[in-house]
Amino acid sequence: MNPKKDLLGIEKLTGKEINQYLSLANRFVKVLERPIPIVPSLRGKTILTLFFEPSTRTQISFSVAAKRLSADIINFSRATSSVSKGETLLDTAKNIEAMKVDGVIVRHSASGAAKFLADQLDAFIINAGDGSHEHPTQALLDLMTMRQNFDNFKNLKVLIIGDIAHSRVARSNIFGLKTLGAQVAICAPPTMIPLGIDKLGVDVFYNLDDVIGDFDVVMALRIQIERQGAGLFPSIREYRTLYGLTNERVHKMKPKSIIMHPGPTNRGVEIDPDVADSDKSVILDQVKNGVAVRMAILFIHAGGRIE
Amino acid sequence: MKAILIKGGRVIDPKTEVDDILDILITGNKISKIDKEIRKNDAQKINAKGKIVCPGFIDLHCHLRDPGRPDEETIESGSESAIAGGFTTICCMPNTEPAIDNEGIVNYIYKEAARANLCRVFPIGAITKNREGKEITEFGELVNAGVRGFSDDGDVVADGNVFRHALEYSKTFDVPIFEHPIDKYLAQDGLMNEGFVSTRLGMTGSPVIAEEVIVARDLLLAKFTGARLHLCHISTKGAVELIREAKKKGVKVTCETCPHYFFFNDEVLESFGTSYKVNPPIRSEQDRQAIIKGLRDNTIDCIATDHAPHCQAEKELEFANAPFGMIGFETALSLIIKELVNKEKFDWIKILEKLTVNPAKILKEKLGVIKQGAVADLTIFDPKKKWKFTSNTIKSKSKNTPFLNKELIGKTIGVIVDGEIKYYTED
């Protein structure tokens, strides 16, 4: 595989490219099961995580992945956009360039921020979430988790519940699933459904109880509690009543269906604690697969070699 | 002063509907003769063969950032940029620091424009004090000082009652009220047009209804008050349709659009390029087509630039943090030629009336016409000349344009203001 320099999103990837990431990730799952789960593939490579938004799990997941590949990883995080500190993202980029790191994993609250860095830097850029745009590594680990549970994507029916308008996880998953031939539907209050989403070939539902029984995969998105003030929904209580994954709703789901969540969960809001911990839930598999997928991504973009 | 003789150009004047190869003689600040083969030995001659000679362009809408941000533009640099684009008259919006809301600032602008001594600069006064949308400014004093209209541009006058009073009060002076028609609540913190492209890019959208709600409100208020309303930078299909209907009913409304609204659609935002970040945002293809239709059937009266300089450091940020606006004086003609003349086959008279006689009418100025005895404000341009727009050649102090290093077609060759040559480039 001759990869592009950066991984900025899923939208522009072909099915073949997605499958290459997933196949390699499956091989790294086996590495992770070894007593000493470390390979020397990226020895001597320096990778920087640059997080302008608070995120524990994604940054840790990348760090673990990089260490498993023997890369040197440097973590940097600041909970605010760089502008407020007087240094622009462009300045930050130029400084990174001067320090000659091989790759940068970036998370930023502005859509397009990863592309902004990719345009400026020779280092490869992995988008770890840019605004409401894309979160490609999350989507790849989600796809990997789905593939572990179902034979193929062709007849797979996936329902995504929650604030689609503001979700980079939803976008990246929709792009990837559509490319792989799955059927995708979304369910949310109309205030959370972005204009023209149906043009992506996505079915749109407002009433969860009517449709939850039709799907193989039900993915709940994290609800951003602060959006209540923006008028997208009247109260957490009503959101839970209408869209929360409760035991009652889970009973309506297909026998072999699974429940996913990109985390971190608001337990008792979009998903009830016992649902998150139930047999149908693959949430911890997602986390586990996250390391393998990120190893595959780093391996491919850092030009790793199998020794 | 030596007379000027423009030889052999294709003279196009929308007002008198002239389109012919003619010579023009300028004596003093007036056009003294228009004829085939004028001879005058002691005149300074301009060879306009193969070029178009028309009334100087009038831009109803620009931002000169002066006073306030001399690093981005001054009245002098803005004037230089304007004449390079063929504009002989420009109207500068009052969202300066401080705002153009008192006589002192108006005097300052006239003084600076006189010092630059390039094009005519007409200030637009703020509708409300400090552009806060609360209390109307002293229209009487400002009109006396020389403002040609009122606007809180950059912001809508959100309070319908304040806007009603502004319209009513303006009737004493018979000046137009320029509205920036974007409902700030509906637009929220929208970064681009809300639609399929913003959905794919995960960018907060500013919906077309944010524009159309205010257009509809203002048309009703204009009808109700009988005052003169001018709607700025119209960008949506719905807005064009509302204005078309209102004009049929006799509402005293005029409007403008800008080159970027008929040249681009929102797919250009896929680059996340901050030079495409403007307000109102670049809309969908359907809206773009409706703007062209509105220009064709004269629903849209004028093409204005909304020239909006921003310093490089501020535009070199993440898309969400960059300011709105692109510079426009020096590219407007090229975009008009490429899109409207060459592609959409507009005839020259129809295009040029939106740059000359129509804005002159809105300003109630006896400009924008080529006839004997008229003030000699003229623009000469080569509609076929190809040239490259580069950082070194831009006259504006700011370089925020998506056309940087792009090849453009059609270029201003000469500009005459008040009988004086202010700009001339030999090929």
Side-chain angles (χ1 to χ4, degrees):
Chain A
M1 173 173 189
N2 183 21
K4 294 163 188 126
K5 178 171 87 78
D6 314 296
L7 176 61
L8 303 180
I10 301 290
E11 187 179 14
K12 301 268 159 48
L13 296 182
T14 62
K16 197 178 161 201
E17 286 169 320
I18 293 173
N19 281 318
Q20 277 166 328
Y21 286 114
L22 299 187
S23 302
L24 186 59
N26 277 323
R27 288 169 63 184
F28 281 124
V29 167
K30 295 196 182 76
V31 170
L32 292 172
E33 285 163 358
R34 291 180 196 164
I36 299 172
I38 293 181
V39 288
S41 316
L42 298 186
R43 189 183 290 149
K45 299 278 184 188
T46 305
I47 293 165
L48 172 69
T49 66
L50 193 60
F51 276 51
F52 294 105
E53 261 188 350
S55 151
T56 325
R57 61 179 62 207
T58 306
Q59 200 168 17
I60 290 174
S61 180
F62 268 110
S63 296
V64 172
K67 285 183 191 296
R68 297 284 183 254
L69 292 167
S70 308
D72 293 315
I73 184 119
I74 299 158
N75 291 311
F76 175 84
S77 55
R78 186 151 68 198
T80 57
S81 130
S82 52
V83 175
S84 59
K85 288 272 186 178
E87 185 180 81
T88 65
L89 191 57
L90 184 66
D91 283 331
T92 308
K94 285 180 173 164
N95 278 282
I96 293 165
E97 187 78 344
M99 292 183 223
K100 301 278 177 219
V101 300
D102 297 291
V104 180
I105 296 153
V106 63
R107 166 165 296 189
H108 198 286
S109 60
S111 298
K115 183 177 185 299
F116 182 94
L117 280 186
D119 290 343
Q120 302 288 337
L121 296 180
D122 289 334
F124 69 86
I125 306 295
I126 305 299
N127 182 6
D130 63 325
S132 306
H133 179 218
E134 284 235 40
H135 193 350
T137 66
Q138 176 72 40
L140 288 171
L141 73 88
D142 290 340
L143 294 170
M144 181 176 173
T145 310
M146 289 181 220
R147 200 160 83 171
Q148 284 166 348
N149 287 275
F150 300 96
D151 294 335
N152 61 59
F153 287 102
K154 278 283 175 285
N155 299 311
L156 192 68
K157 296 183 75 174
V158 180
L159 179 68
I160 305 174
I161 306 163
D163 188 358
I164 310 297
H166 297 93
S167 174
R168 54 196 173 208
V169 175
R171 258 174 205 77
S172 290
N173 266 293
I174 290 169
F175 293 139
L177 286 163
K178 293 307 292 184
T179 299
L180 295 172
Q183 289 181 48
V184 186
I186 55 176
C187 186
T191 46
M192 292 180 171
I193 293 179
L195 278 185
I197 190 86
D198 51 310
K199 283 195 211 165
L200 291 174
V202 172
D203 292 323
V204 178
F205 300 107
Y206 306 137
N207 190 323
L208 183 57
D209 289 307
D210 289 353
V211 297
I212 195 166
D214 298 337
F215 291 88
D216 303 304
V217 177
V218 172
M219 182 187 293
L221 300 173
R222 177 178 167 81
I223 201 78
Q224 307 236 276
I225 297 186
E226 61 273 20
R227 300 234 181 260
Q228 186 182 318
L232 296 184
F233 59 100
S235 69
I236 293 290
R237 195 174 70 145
E238 179 149 308
Y239 184 84
R240 180 183 179 276
T241 307
L242 296 174
Y243 298 99
L245 285 182
T246 57
N247 257 325
E248 197 191 358
R249 288 205 169 97
V250 171
H251 285 312
K252 294 183 186 169
M253 288 174 60
K254 280 185 176 178
K256 284 187 176 169
S257 57
I258 59 170
I259 291 167
M260 301 179 73
H261 191 295
T265 54
N266 293 306
R267 288 182 167 232
V269 183
E270 71 268 359
I271 188 163
D272 277 6
D274 43 353
V275 171
D277 300 333
S278 70
D279 290 347
K280 282 195 175 302
S281 165
V282 294
I283 295 172
L284 289 177
D285 293 339
Q286 290 174 266
V287 177
K288 185 177 158 197
N289 291 333
V291 175
V293 153
R294 289 175 176 121
M295 284 172 79
I297 291 163
L298 292 177
F299 184 92
I300 287 169
H301 288 272
R305 272 207 295 257
I306 297 161
E307 292 178 34
Chain B
M1 203 168 73
K2 211 171 174 185
I4 300 166
L5 180 58
I6 304 168
K7 292 286 292 178
R10 178 180 168 191
V11 174
I12 305 178
D13 180 59
K15 177 140 192 220
T16 57
E17 294 183 352
V18 168
D19 182 351
D20 208 348
I21 307 292
L22 292 166
D23 293 352
I24 297 176
L25 183 67
I26 297 161
T27 318
N29 73 335
K30 296 266 164 55
I31 295 169
S32 52
K33 198 174 178 190
I34 307 164
D35 211 338
K36 302 232 176 228
E37 285 299 320
I38 301 174
R39 284 178 200 285
K40 189 163 171 54
N41 288 336
D42 58 347
Q44 181 179 356
K45 291 185 186 66
I46 295 176
N47 177 11
K49 211 169 172 187
K51 316 285 193 289
I52 290 176
V53 182
C54 65
F57 303 152
I58 299 170
D59 186 3
L60 288 182
H61 193 138
C62 72
H63 300 271
L64 298 182
R65 308 287 184 231
D66 191 1
R69 285 300 299 270
D71 58 319
E72 294 186 327
E73 200 80 286
T74 60
I75 286 161
E76 185 174 15
S77 67
S79 301
E80 235 181 286
S81 178
I83 56 159
F87 292 91
T88 54
T89 299
I90 56 176
C91 298
C92 57
M93 286 294 163
N95 60 338
T96 46
E97 274 298 325
I100 309 176
D101 65 357
N102 65 73
E103 189 179 8
I105 306 290
V106 177
N107 292 342
Y108 166 80
I109 289 166
Y110 274 110
K111 196 181 99 223
E112 286 300 299
R115 201 168 61 80
N117 192 24
L118 292 165
C119 59
R120 296 173 201 276
V121 179
F122 291 150
I124 302 295
I127 294 174
T128 62
K129 290 174 189 162
N130 204 25
R131 299 175 53 255
E132 282 169 358
K134 290 176 188 152
E135 294 171 50
I136 60 171
T137 54
E138 292 166 315
F139 283 17
E141 176 184 288
L142 287 161
V143 168
N144 265 336
V147 306
R148 303 304 165 107
F150 291 92
S151 181
D152 272 359
D153 186 62
D155 291 299
V156 69
V157 179
D159 185 327
N161 196 39
V162 172
F163 198 66
R164 173 198 168 167
H165 288 145
L167 285 167
E168 284 174 337
Y169 198 72
S170 74
K171 294 194 328 184
T172 310
F173 314 101
D174 196 23
V175 288
I177 299 289
F178 289 54
E179 173 76 291
H180 168 96
I182 301 285
D183 184 289
K184 62 180 181 181
Y185 303 105
L186 284 166
Q188 295 266 355
D189 48 1
L191 303 171
M192 62 174 288
N193 182 51
E194 183 177 344
F196 182 54
V197 181
S198 69
T199 289
R200 281 177 41 233
L201 298 178
M203 290 230 262
T204 314
S206 174
V208 291
I209 45 163
E211 179 166 329
E212 291 155 11
V213 158
I214 297 295
V215 166
R217 179 198 78 169
D218 287 1
L219 290 169
L220 290 170
L221 285 169
K223 183 163 179 248
F224 183 74
T225 59
R228 288 171 61 201
L229 171 68
H230 179 77
L231 293 164
C232 295
H233 40 57
I234 290 303
S235 71
T236 82
K237 180 169 186 260
V240 173
E241 285 166 0
L242 286 164
I243 296 163
R244 186 178 289 129
E245 286 311 304
K247 282 189 165 184
K248 277 186 201 153
K249 288 181 194 144
V251 177
K252 283 196 239 168
V253 61
T254 54
C255 70
E256 72 196 25
T257 191
C258 312
H260 37 280
Y261 301 120
F262 60 71
F263 197 81
F264 294 121
N265 66 35
D266 55 0
E267 285 168 26
V268 295
L269 274 302
E270 286 185 23
S271 67
F272 289 103
T274 56
S275 59
Y276 296 108
K277 186 176 175 183
V278 288
N279 187 25
I282 291 167
R283 304 286 187 183
S284 70
E285 177 61 18
Q286 173 188 280
D287 294 304
R288 191 183 78 86
Q289 292 293 342
I291 294 297
I292 292 170
K293 191 176 165 205
L295 286 164
R296 212 186 283 282
D297 72 5
N298 295 332
T299 300
I300 300 175
D301 305 271
C302 305
I303 297 171
T305 64
D306 200 2
H307 178 83
H310 286 292
C311 74
Q312 197 173 349
E314 286 176 17
K315 273 287 191 182
E316 275 179 349
L317 295 175
E318 308 84 327
F319 197 91
N321 296 324
F324 293 101
M326 64 170 81
I327 56 169
F329 288 139
E330 297 167 66
T331 50
L333 176 64
S334 295
L335 306 197
I336 288 165
I337 289 172
K338 190 167 180 192
E339 189 62 35
L340 299 182
V341 179
N342 293 354
K343 206 164 134 211
E344 293 290 336
K345 309 290 174 205
F346 274 60
D347 68 63
W348 276 111
I349 293 224
K350 186 176 281 287
I351 289 297
L352 291 175
E353 71 183 2
K354 296 179 197 302
L355 289 164
T356 60
V357 62
N358 288 357
K361 250 188 253 170
I362 291 165
L363 296 171
K364 296 194 137 193
E365 286 289 335
K366 287 179 182 159
L367 297 170
V369 60
I370 295 180
K371 63 175 184 189
Q372 200 178 331
V375 170
D377 279 14
L378 297 170
T379 292
I380 305 162
F381 64 93
D382 181 343
K384 294 200 173 102
K385 188 176 171 67
K386 289 185 175 155
W387 59 294
K388 205 169 165 193
F389 196 46
T390 64
S391 172
N392 293 334
T393 56
I394 294 176
K395 304 286 185 203
S396 171
K397 273 197 174 185
S398 294
K399 321 289 172 197
N400 53 308
T401 166
F403 299 101
L404 201 62
N405 300 321
K406 299 267 166 70
E407 191 179 74
L408 298 172
I409 185 162
K411 194 170 190 317
T412 306
I413 300 299
V415 174
I416 294 165
V417 182
D418 215 26
E420 283 181 33
I421 300 171
K422 300 294 186 187
Y423 182 84
Y424 188 69
T425 53
E426 301 270 0
D427 287 307

